[in-house]
Amino acid sequence: MPSKLDQLRSMTVVVSDTGDIETVRRLKPQDCTTNPTLLLKAAEMPAYAHLVDEAIEWGRAQGGSGAVHATCDRLALNFGAELSKIVPGRVSTEVDADLSFDTAATLDKARAFIKAYEARGVGRERILIKVASTWEGIRAAEVLQKEGIDCNLTLLFSLTQAVAAADAGAFLISPFVGRILDWHVKAGEGPFTAETDPGVTSVRQIYAYYKKYGISTVVMGASFRNTAEIEALAGCDRLTIGPALLDQLAADEGVLERKLDASNVAEAPARIELDEKAFRFALNEDQMATEKLSEGIRLFVKDLRTLRGLVARRLEGAQAA
């Protein structure tokens, strides 16, 4: 009997949710996605000191007041370029979370990333630019998609965000399953089964909506707390999964049942029309999505600032030497 991971791969594109290059090499996912938290963890691992050292040396040569931010971008590119040599598909690189409410700055950052990747011989068809699913982020994605730069709309917790992302022509969305569950558990709800898990039901609703209305935007479930959530979404377009859960699936030889199928979708909500006012009001009405989006941005910014602090200290040390 094939493992559940192998069975999952037969019906869903499996993406590795890590910046750990050796883990990606071992698990052989189709795609790979990173974020500030994962990049920070990888940057602190001795195995990748050479990627950090290269970025620091480059940053020292650049100098100037923007050296820290530029060096962090260089570090993200170093990891992204290495990952692109291992996975056959896409690598997601995230725009700074503190730009989540700045469309123009998000566009500048995304274009700079793509230009830098192309200078390294990594074509834009290999990269997804990760942008927070704020109104401003979605508007940036709309422009980037028209320029041939595919986007991954992250920190997505609601059908409202999913509809707006699809209307903008986003290549892919990353609904956060586990964080939705976290909110409901903290609110005193449950216990939940895999079938009643609010994160699972949210992704199933989005999937049904997209398939019913012929929307081509890829649905990639993310942020899993256990393998039961993953199994409950077997058949989803893509699933991005952390190494520990991938290992659990690889060790399990039970039967994995397909739960999602584009040719046989569940009942979907009526078609939703959104302008900016309707988007903001609908998101505000969804307490869970509003709180988790805000929290998610804060947490990513916290880790981004920690990474910048690490880089700043290294740059100062390099200059002193």
Side-chain angles (χ1 to χ4, degrees):
M1 172 71 70
S3 71
K4 284 188 176 178
L5 180 57
D6 287 337
Q7 293 174 67
L8 182 64
R9 283 174 168 151
S10 72
M11 61 186 84
T12 291
V13 174
V14 175
V15 179
S16 183
D17 196 10
T18 180
D20 186 340
I21 294 168
E22 291 308 313
T23 297
V24 174
R25 199 187 309 276
R26 176 174 62 83
L27 293 170
K28 299 179 174 63
Q30 174 70 19
D31 296 346
C32 186
T33 180
T34 65
N35 60 43
T37 303
L38 298 174
L39 188 62
L40 176 62
K41 290 178 181 177
E44 293 174 332
M45 297 173 69
Y48 308 121
H50 63 291
L51 297 179
V52 179
D53 291 344
E54 191 282 337
I56 296 299
E57 289 301 314
W58 178 89
R60 180 173 61 170
Q62 304 308 303
S65 59
V68 171
H69 286 219
T71 302
C72 287
D73 288 348
R74 179 80 172 190
L75 183 59
L77 288 164
N78 283 355
F79 276 92
E82 286 299 309
L83 291 167
S84 74
K85 298 174 185 177
I86 302 170
V87 298
R90 305 269 193 153
V91 174
S92 286
T93 295
E94 190 150 347
V95 169
D96 296 346
D98 53 7
L99 303 180
S100 296
F101 302 101
D102 190 332
T103 298
T106 295
L107 288 170
D108 289 343
K109 181 73 73 171
R111 290 163 178 157
F113 274 142
I114 292 298
K115 183 178 180 180
Y117 271 122
E118 290 179 337
R120 297 180 182 218
V122 182
R124 63 181 61 193
E125 74 281 356
R126 299 291 316 285
I127 302 299
L128 290 179
I129 296 297
K130 287 181 75 175
V131 182
S133 298
T134 58
W135 179 258
E136 294 80 5
I138 293 169
R139 296 282 66 78
E142 184 174 34
V143 174
L144 293 169
Q145 289 290 160
K146 291 175 180 176
E147 295 177 1
I149 299 173
D150 288 335
C151 296
N152 172 352
L153 270 294
T154 189
L155 292 174
L156 193 144
F157 303 96
S158 68
L159 181 61
T160 297
Q161 292 170 291
V163 170
D167 289 346
F171 177 83
L172 180 148
I173 62 167
S174 295
F176 276 34
V177 179
R179 296 196 193 188
I180 293 176
L181 173 65
D182 293 345
W183 188 91
H184 287 277
V185 170
K186 187 176 181 180
E189 301 174 30
F192 299 105
T193 67
E195 290 298 310
T196 62
D197 184 308
V200 169
T201 57
S202 177
V203 174
R204 287 181 174 180
Q205 181 188 50
I206 292 168
Y207 181 89
Y209 185 93
Y210 277 18
K211 302 314 176 187
K212 178 177 180 179
Y213 300 114
I215 295 167
S216 61
T217 299
V218 174
V219 181
M220 183 174 75
S223 170
F224 293 104
R225 297 295 176 256
N226 51 66
T227 57
E229 289 180 325
I230 297 167
E231 293 181 36
L233 292 173
C236 191
D237 298 334
R238 303 186 190 192
L239 297 174
T240 179
I241 307 168
L245 294 179
L246 286 173
D247 282 336
Q248 288 181 40
L249 290 168
D252 190 340
E253 295 185 352
V255 175
L256 180 65
E257 177 186 352
R258 176 186 282 271
K259 295 292 186 176
L260 298 180
D261 189 335
S263 64
N264 183 27
V265 296
E267 184 177 348
R271 195 75 190 243
I272 299 171
E273 300 294 332
L274 292 173
D275 58 12
E276 181 177 356
K277 291 180 181 178
F279 173 88
R280 293 192 186 280
F281 184 78
L283 188 60
N284 188 71
E285 286 288 281
D286 188 332
Q287 183 181 355
M288 177 277 297
T290 296
E291 292 180 3
K292 295 308 290 185
L293 173 61
S294 175
E295 177 189 65
I297 292 171
R298 288 196 303 273
L299 290 173
F300 279 164
V301 168
K302 179 183 177 181
D303 285 336
L304 181 61
R305 288 171 176 162
T306 300
L307 181 63
R308 287 171 178 165
L310 182 153
V311 166
R313 290 191 295 274
R314 288 289 305 274
L315 285 173
E316 291 172 1
Q319 290 168 352

